[in-house]
């Protein structure tokens, strides 16, 4: 388990970039954190770290955003879903089969969709701009 302290949105993005730089395809990143904690900023950093130059935004209303380039990042926002069944209904298994990195915001809403091999990222607000970012594997984080 690794713990990082961020004092700004740009630092959160930098932590995400460092984290994702060598992340293998097929990795699922289950993200947890309150509204406004910085989950999307972390994913913006992940995209940059993966060499992607696309604009990254929250997929709250679209549920899924795909960022394509030399690598593939699929960004899910499960805020509006109430169960893992809804995630499976939109093709979760098909997304996993593509071998892309999958970043899932609001993972607590779809816990049954994970197999225990995901990387867990928890982002906690510790001040107006400060965040504690904990990265670990599965339920150990």
């Amino acid at each position: 388990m690794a713990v990082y302290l961020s004092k700004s949105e740009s630092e959160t993005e930098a932590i995400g970039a460092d984290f994702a730089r060598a992340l293998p395809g097929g990795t699922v990143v289950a993200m947890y954190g309150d509204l406004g904690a910085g989950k999307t900023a972390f994913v913006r950093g992940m995209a940059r770290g993966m060499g992607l130059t696309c604009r990254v935004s929250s997929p709250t209303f679209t549920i899924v955003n795909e960022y394509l380039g030399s690598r593939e990042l699929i960004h899910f926002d499960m805020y509006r879903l109430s169960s893992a069944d809804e995630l499976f209904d939109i093709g979760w298994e098909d997304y996993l089969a593509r071998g892309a990195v999958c970043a899932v915001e609001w993972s607590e809403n779809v816990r049954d969709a994970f197999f225990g091999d995901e990387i867990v990222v928890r982002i906690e607000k510790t001040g107006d701009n400060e965040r504690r970012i904990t990265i670990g594997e599965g339920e150990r984080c």
Side-chain angles (χ1 to χ4, degrees), residues 16-29:
D18 288 343
F19 162 73
R21 201 159 274 119
L23 207 56
T27 300
V28 174
V29 180

Side-chain angles (χ1 to χ4, degrees), residues 41-87:
F42 190 88
V43 175
R44 257 194 314 274
M46 286 178 63
R48 190 175 72 231
M50 292 173 64
L52 303 173
T53 58
C54 48
R55 182 178 178 275
V56 173
S57 61
S58 176
T60 299
F61 295 103
T62 58
I63 309 293
V64 181
N65 287 340
E66 297 182 33
Y67 310 117
L68 308 174
S70 59
R71 297 176 68 195
E72 187 175 6
L73 174 63
I74 303 174
H75 184 193
F76 296 85
D77 187 319
M78 305 292 97
Y79 184 75
R80 296 175 53 221
L81 299 188
S82 59
S83 73
D85 289 340
E86 292 180 69
L87 180 56

